[in-house]
Amino acid sequence: MAELGELEDPKARVANEKRGDDHGVNLGKLRALAKRLKTQHELARELWETDDTAARLLALLICRPKSFERAELDAMLREARAPKVHDWLVNYVVKKNPHAEELRLAWSADPDPVVASAGWALTTERVAKKPEGLDLVGLLDVVEAEMKDAPDRLQWAMNHCLAQIGIEHAEHRARAVDIGERLEVLKDYPTPPGCTSPFAPAWISEMVRRHH
């Protein structure tokens, strides 16, 4: 914790807080610290218990993802207030855990939109890597009905899933683009030069172009 305190950088804190992350540690320096510590699962648990955002991010880098029980991951997700902690928990830990599919189903149906967004993130992963057994038509139906009015984090996750279906599954591409065009979610999102817009029709078009 003392070492994390020494890495505190006021400029990094300002940049991070704009994104809702309440810490001032440069992520490159945090990763370097994690690389030095290597995997230490018990230390990761202790760091998580501090409730400090930088410590929790470090915990997610040095933990053993397959060692968490389902209930433990569920509790951690509900405690993860900072967007970066939430994202790293889902992407670096839950996706590698044997309970990922059970959690995907439970979280997708959760009334808490931030928890539900984690379920959608796991669904997006399956759309890309293991679509067998997924009801892609049903997912598009839900996106069409609910994405426009969903809270920000949930809307972002649904939009990513919509784009992924359009990118990966040519038979559903026209409908995915049509839904994106009609709902106009993230259409005006400020996108730096050289970056791909998160507006689903533009995103789908660009990624399909790159694939070809």
Side-chain angles (χ1 to χ4, degrees):
M1 292 305 292
E3 195 161 347
L4 284 172
E6 287 169 12
L7 292 176
E8 177 74 25
D9 174 353
K11 285 183 183 171
R13 181 169 285 276
V14 170
N16 289 330
E17 285 183 346
K18 281 182 185 170
R19 296 186 284 269
D21 293 313
D22 55 342
H23 74 95
V25 179
N26 173 285
L27 295 180
K29 291 179 179 175
L30 191 77
R31 288 181 188 280
L33 176 55
K35 197 171 179 182
R36 201 183 78 224
L37 291 169
K38 298 189 171 65
T39 302
Q40 296 192 45
H41 195 69
E42 289 312 311
L43 175 58
R45 278 203 167 104
E46 290 177 37
L47 286 166
W48 185 270
E49 290 303 319
T50 64
D51 197 24
D52 175 85
T53 294
R56 285 186 162 182
L57 290 171
L58 181 60
L60 296 171
L61 293 174
I62 66 167
C63 71
R64 193 175 291 108
K66 292 178 180 174
S67 295
F68 290 108
E69 295 299 327
R70 174 185 162 164
E72 200 172 4
L73 290 174
D74 184 68
M76 288 167 75
L77 186 83
R78 293 171 195 280
E79 292 167 9
R81 304 173 320 282
K84 186 66 76 179
V85 173
H86 175 100
D87 291 344
W88 282 18
L89 175 61
V90 172
N91 287 299
Y92 296 172
V93 180
V94 180
K95 284 180 181 178
K96 298 174 184 174
N97 184 274
H99 301 290
E101 180 61 13
E102 296 165 54
L103 289 168
R104 181 186 78 81
L105 294 168
W107 289 344
S108 295
D110 199 277
D112 180 332
V114 176
V115 174
S117 75
W120 278 90
L122 293 172
T123 299
T124 302
E125 170 90 347
R126 271 204 59 190
V127 166
K129 295 188 175 171
K130 204 166 73 174
E132 299 79 16
L134 278 182
D135 177 9
L136 298 178
V137 172
L139 287 172
L140 290 173
D141 289 344
V142 175
V143 169
E144 190 169 21
E146 299 177 14
M147 180 170 76
K148 182 81 172 174
D149 300 316
D152 287 354
R153 298 282 292 282
L154 179 55
Q155 185 184 68
W156 187 274
M158 283 182 160
N159 183 71
H160 190 177
C161 191
L162 173 67
Q164 202 71 51
I165 291 172
I167 292 162
E168 301 286 345
H169 301 278
E171 69 275 22
H172 299 295
R173 188 168 296 146
R175 185 180 176 204
V177 169
D178 177 61
I179 290 170
E181 285 174 346
R182 280 187 290 106
L183 299 187
E184 297 189 334
V185 166
L186 300 173
K187 186 174 183 178
D188 301 319
Y189 192 84
T191 306
C195 293
T196 303
S197 167
F199 177 50
W203 190 353
I204 292 167
S205 171
E206 173 60 18
M207 296 312 290
V208 170
R209 185 189 67 76
R210 286 189 203 175
H211 285 182
H212 287 303

